[in-house]
């Protein structure tokens, strides 16, 4: 019988900690593999992967027009439920793809 007394320092404690760390590392590797497999399966079926966008193209265009017309960007972002940096990042991404 192998004892794994973790009540104090010693070889039993070291063994128990090493085993728990090994199992945690194995589970992390398996989790990453499952996530990669799920992503690959979605891509193979032509489905989107990753987090859904908070702003679609129509909403981005409307927000950009409102800011161009003089609206305060912080207020536009608050009304859309996004941060100001998200609003600017999405605007920058959409204008950089135009040409």
């Amino acid at each position: 019988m192998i004892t794994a007394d973790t009540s104090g320092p010693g070889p039993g404690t070291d063994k128990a900690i090493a085993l728990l760390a090994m199992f945690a590392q194995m589970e992390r590797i398996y989790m990453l593999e499952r996530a990669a497999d799920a992503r690959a399966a979605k891509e193979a079926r032509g489905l989107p992967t990753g987090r859904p966008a908070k702003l679609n193209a129509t909403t981005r265009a409307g927000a950009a027009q409102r800011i161009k017309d003089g609206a305060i960007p912080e207020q536009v972002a608050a009304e859309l439920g996004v941060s100001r940096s998200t609003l600017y990042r999405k605007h920058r991404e959409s204008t950089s793809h135009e040409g």
Side-chain angles (χ1 to χ4, degrees), residues 22-88:
M22 182 189 68
F23 290 134
Q25 181 63 26
M26 282 175 36
E27 178 54 32
R28 177 157 171 71
I29 291 169
Y30 294 149
M31 179 195 66
L32 292 173
E33 287 176 355
R34 287 190 302 268
D37 290 345
R39 233 182 345 269
K42 284 184 92 173
E43 287 173 355
R45 291 192 308 262
L47 299 173
T49 60
R51 186 175 182 169
K54 283 196 156 210
L55 301 176
N56 60 31
T58 306
T59 308
R60 280 195 311 264
Q65 186 61 45
R66 287 181 58 202
I67 292 170
K68 186 178 176 184
D69 292 341
I72 299 171
E74 288 82 2
Q75 288 178 344
V76 174
E79 290 169 8
L80 294 174
V82 297
S83 68
R84 186 187 60 178
S85 60
T86 297
L87 186 64
Y88 283 133

Side-chain angles (χ1 to χ4, degrees), residues 8-20:
T13 302
D14 294 344
K15 236 187 306 188
I17 290 172
L19 283 171
L20 289 172

